[in-house]
Amino acid sequence: MTVVDESEAEKAKARGNECFKAGKFSAALAQYDEALRLYGRGQETSASRSKVLGNMAAVFLKLGDYERTDAAASEALGLDPSFHKARFRRAQARNKQEDWEGLDSDANFLIRANREAQVLTSSELSALTKLAVTARRSKAKPASQVNKPAAAAAESAGNSGDEAARLGL
């Protein structure tokens, strides 16, 4: 399928962004779905489609639908592996799903990418470092001992910067 109307797809995406900002998440998803339909499946629109999928991941994250966040972010990354916002959203979803292996993989990728070029804000990097530390700790525990989401455990982790350095992050 080729692009039906790229300018209409961009308009739908923009309407979705406005709905997202207004907290109208169902309406945002409807607009993003429309944008994807209008973009079609052509290679020439893969970057645009990736951004829309990343926006959808943000909506699902806000709605607490972590499986769909993971799926949308993964699809976005399939189109554009360097889309760091999508990888960050996927890491957040994987934290909530207690997918420590996936979280650790995404966190390490982003931390390495951030060393080469500033791809994360300082607050994103701080949050990601805490998540990575907790993922490493949780992976080392038997499953029966892992009962807290990483975010809560990271809060009690103390100085995660020192811990991150110790863990080689």
Side-chain angles (χ1 to χ4, degrees), residues 135-148:
R136 291 262 176 110
R137 287 180 178 167
S138 297
K139 283 180 6 181
K141 292 181 183 179
S144 62
Q145 293 181 3
V146 178
N147 60 7
K148 294 195 277 186

Side-chain angles (χ1 to χ4, degrees), residues 14-31:
R15 287 191 302 269
N17 293 345
E18 289 303 315
C19 290
F20 180 85
K21 290 175 190 171
K24 299 176 182 176
F25 301 126
S26 293
L29 284 174
Q31 292 300 315

Side-chain angles (χ1 to χ4, degrees), residues 3 23 30-31 34-35 41 45-48 50 78 86 89 97 99 102 119 126-127 133 144 146 159 162 165:
V3 177
Q31 292 300 315
E34 178 67 4
R41 296 262 178 210
T45 63
S46 62
S48 297
S50 178
R89 289 176 184 137
Q97 296 176 92
D99 174 1
V119 298
S126 175
V133 168
S144 62
V146 178
N159 186 344
D162 294 338

